[in-house]
Amino acid sequence: LPDGPLVPEVAFGRVAPVVVEIGSGHGAAAVAYCSAHPGTDLVAIEVHVPGVARMLSLADAAGVSNLWVHPGDALPFLAERVAPGSLAAVHLFFPDPWPKNKHVKRRFVQQHTLALIASRLQPGGHLLIATDITAYAAHARAQLAEHGRWSVVEGERPSWRPEAGFEAKGLRAGRVVSELAATLLPA
């Protein structure tokens, strides 16, 4: 992506819905989404450089042209580079669960991150969260309810998302995947 504010027509060469995927890992879900939604531009945010490299290789092999990668932290990117009301959706698939009680404050889904995401979504925009950790799913439900600007539907797994990475690992371990589809309500 070019430096500075994210301006879709400059960054992507077109005006289309923009989706951000936070913590995209090796990119299986991002590439699958882009393949299934060629009319949408997706910005995959990932801090792990080998994951970014693997994602770009996977995207190249799949021939997708609507995937963009930001190798860095999601919060500064959203706060400093994304205009309010400019995103169609945000995806958060299998975030680090920070399972110890003393680390709960490190979980991505918190009031301040929900407020930031809500400010960057278009009215009616979506936040998709998937986790195979029961405690994280409960935490996310509670945070979304406390925030108060989300209508949440559970159990709707996107058909385009492959069972890869942490999802596949969780399923092999016998864990159940919780799917939370949160729609931003009017202020």
Side-chain angles (χ1 to χ4, degrees):
L1 294 174
D3 290 333
L6 178 63
V7 179
E9 52 270 17
V10 172
F12 313 135
R14 67 179 181 167
V15 176
V18 178
V19 173
V20 167
E21 183 177 309
I22 297 170
S24 49
H26 296 140
V31 171
Y33 181 85
C34 289
S35 293
H37 300 89
T40 300
D41 289 304
L42 185 134
V43 177
I45 302 175
E46 177 57 49
V47 297
H48 189 244
V49 175
V52 170
R54 189 167 167 193
M55 181 181 348
L56 291 172
S57 176
L58 184 63
D60 187 48
V64 299
S65 60
N66 55 334
L67 173 66
W68 308 89
V69 179
H70 173 72
D73 188 22
L75 293 179
F77 180 83
L78 290 170
E80 299 165 11
R81 298 188 59 193
V82 177
S86 63
L87 299 178
V90 173
H91 299 167
L92 181 66
F93 300 137
F94 304 92
D96 190 331
W98 294 102
K100 294 180 181 177
N101 284 337
K102 66 182 180 178
H103 293 150
V104 167
K105 64 184 177 226
R106 294 183 182 187
R107 290 178 176 167
F108 190 84
V109 178
Q110 302 286 344
Q111 292 305 296
H112 69 282
T113 56
L114 290 174
L116 177 59
I117 290 168
S119 75
R120 297 315 189 245
L121 283 174
Q122 299 165 348
H126 303 283
L127 170 61
L128 303 182
I129 302 170
T131 181
D132 62 320
I133 306 299
T134 304
Y136 197 98
H139 170 83
R141 283 185 204 98
Q143 291 293 312
L144 288 161
E146 181 181 334
H147 188 266
R149 289 216 34 221
W150 303 96
S151 171
V152 180
V153 175
E154 295 200 40
E156 295 185 15
R157 182 184 190 283
S159 60
W160 49 262
R161 194 180 74 223
E163 290 181 4
F166 288 113
E167 181 171 11
K169 184 178 177 180
L171 292 171
R172 281 193 305 271
R175 293 191 292 268
V176 174
V177 174
S178 294
E179 303 279 351
L180 306 176
T183 302
L184 183 65
L185 300 171

